[in-house]
Amino acid sequence: MMYKRYITILLLLLCTGYITNAQQKKGRSPKKEIIVPEGLTYEVLTYRESTPKRATQMAVSYRDDGIKDKPVIVFIHGGGWAKGDKDDVMYQVFNVAKRGFVGVSISYRLISEAPFPACIEDVKQAIRFLKSKEGELPIDVTRIGIWGYSAGAHLALMIGLSPDELFKTDEYSAYNTNVKAIMAVSAPTDFVTRREKQGALAFFTEEQNNSELFQENVSPLSFIHQNQPSIYMLHGTADPLVKPFHYKNFEAACKEKGVDNFELFEFEERGHMFYFKRNKETKPAFNAFLQEVKETVQ
């Protein structure tokens, strides 16, 4: 029965369209010139065919030191599901690569390029594709952490929490989307409450805005469970874009379900982009996240 429910939900999600307005239809960031730090390997891979091609690429970088089973940190950019690109967070990829990780940044189809929630399907396929490269890339597939900001944090949580069957494509279906830890910064987690408190989302169709089932099944909060990966959630208490109820409701649901590997970091009077403006304040949480990913699974 559970599997049939997931199939029904998947069909509902894939059959719905999308609407964007002028504010949300920002588009893909211009391609950047990537300057690779000395001592690092850098390559761009395509995890699915799409138009535009850049929408479904991943950038990979690591230190070429002969170690074949490095821990992995995957970065997912933000931008309201409407703008951005993998190149936007390459500085973070290179930073972790210098520290002995394989750094990965993934693009996904924006809402001007494919209907929401195609982006969720994309990022889950990207993780399965990455795992298929074990042996070709120096990765340890049991030690994968995902960092996401804003819309990217929503996508990171959907990778780590939603059932493997949901949003699953035929490509690389032999691989799962299990990850070890997630860092979610300024994350939208609860579209049901968001609809109740703030009204319709402009890039949801009328059907999607009127369907609580749809909203539940694109909300990470709906998939909290006791065996979930560790989650480090960072949020500003004065975030005007992703209101505090998102992290508060998520925290309450974790407590209700007895989840003991969720840690919330509240940043008083900080707004939506605090993470990039308050590096010294967020660095301890980021280092704890890296350390957990790095630890060998027993």
Side-chain angles (χ1 to χ4, degrees):
M1 290 294 292
M2 188 69 71
Y3 180 77
K4 290 182 178 179
R5 177 174 179 266
Y6 292 149
I7 293 298
T8 301
I9 293 167
L10 181 58
L11 289 173
L12 171 65
L13 297 173
L14 293 178
C15 287
T16 49
Y18 71 107
I19 298 174
T20 62
N21 62 22
Q23 181 181 6
Q24 292 155 330
K25 195 174 180 180
K26 299 292 186 180
R28 187 157 300 283
S29 301
K31 187 174 183 180
K32 294 179 173 61
E33 179 184 0
I34 304 299
I35 300 174
V36 183
E38 185 177 353
L40 296 184
T41 294
Y42 167 80
E43 60 182 312
V44 175
L45 306 172
T46 299
Y47 64 84
R48 76 179 297 166
E49 296 302 322
S50 71
T51 302
K53 185 175 181 180
R54 288 174 58 215
T56 50
Q57 291 180 331
M58 66 168 58
V60 182
S61 184
Y62 52 89
R63 200 165 56 201
D64 193 8
D65 53 13
I67 298 174
K68 302 298 184 184
D69 57 348
K70 299 174 185 286
V72 183
I73 303 295
V74 177
F75 294 90
I76 308 180
H77 69 83
W81 306 274
K83 63 180 180 178
D85 184 75
K86 70 182 188 310
D87 291 352
D88 296 347
V89 291
M90 281 308 300
Y91 71 97
Q92 295 194 89
V93 169
F94 291 142
N95 283 342
V96 298
K98 291 175 184 176
R99 297 174 68 170
F101 294 80
V102 173
V104 178
S105 177
I106 58 179
S107 289
Y108 49 89
R109 288 173 293 173
L110 306 174
I111 55 176
S112 61
E113 299 166 342
F116 185 89
C119 51
I120 304 175
E121 179 183 297
D122 287 350
V123 295
K124 293 190 79 168
Q125 179 166 318
I127 298 302
R128 294 197 302 272
F129 169 84
L130 180 63
K131 289 187 176 185
S132 78
K133 295 299 179 181
E134 184 180 23
E136 298 178 40
L137 295 173
I139 58 176
D140 180 349
V141 298
T142 69
R143 294 189 291 163
I144 296 177
I146 307 182
W147 178 100
Y149 163 69
S150 194
H154 163 261
L155 296 174
L157 290 168
M158 289 300 292
I159 289 170
L161 295 177
S162 65
D164 197 55
E165 296 85 2
L166 196 56
F167 303 102
K168 190 169 189 176
T169 56
D170 292 336
E171 294 85 355
Y172 312 105
S173 60
Y175 302 90
N176 62 43
T177 55
N178 296 343
V179 297
K180 194 166 185 278
I182 300 166
M183 173 162 279
V185 182
S186 304
T189 69
D190 184 354
F191 285 107
V192 175
T193 302
R194 196 263 176 226
R195 176 72 171 85
E196 293 170 353
K197 288 180 174 290
Q198 296 178 263
L201 270 168
F203 64 87
F204 279 9
T205 64
E206 182 178 358
E207 180 183 2
Q208 292 170 342
N209 272 306
N210 291 330
S211 172
E212 187 169 315
L213 176 63
F214 175 84
Q215 295 154 29
E216 286 177 353
N217 285 284
V218 293
S219 296
L221 181 145
S222 301
F223 302 108
I224 292 170
H225 58 91
Q226 288 189 339
N227 296 320
Q228 68 189 33
S230 297
I231 295 175
Y232 298 77
M233 184 167 284
L234 287 66
H235 214 112
T237 63
D239 189 335
L241 297 180
V242 181
K243 303 287 188 181
F245 67 78
H246 284 280
Y247 76 80
K248 290 180 178 179
N249 291 359
F250 195 92
E251 179 187 37
C254 284
K255 288 180 178 178
E256 181 181 345
K257 293 181 182 295
V259 173
D260 60 5
N261 61 351
F262 168 76
E263 191 166 0
L264 174 65
F265 300 82
E266 290 180 284
F267 292 84
E268 293 295 330
E269 300 304 316
R270 301 305 185 205
H272 190 62
M273 296 188 68
F274 74 93
Y275 184 88
F276 305 102
K277 299 176 180 179
R278 303 285 177 174
N279 181 260
K280 289 184 179 179
E281 296 177 21
T282 60
K283 190 174 182 179
F286 183 66
N287 285 340
F289 164 67
L290 292 185
Q291 183 59 39
E292 177 156 359
V293 176
K294 187 176 182 180
E295 291 173 356
T296 303
V297 177
Q298 301 296 324

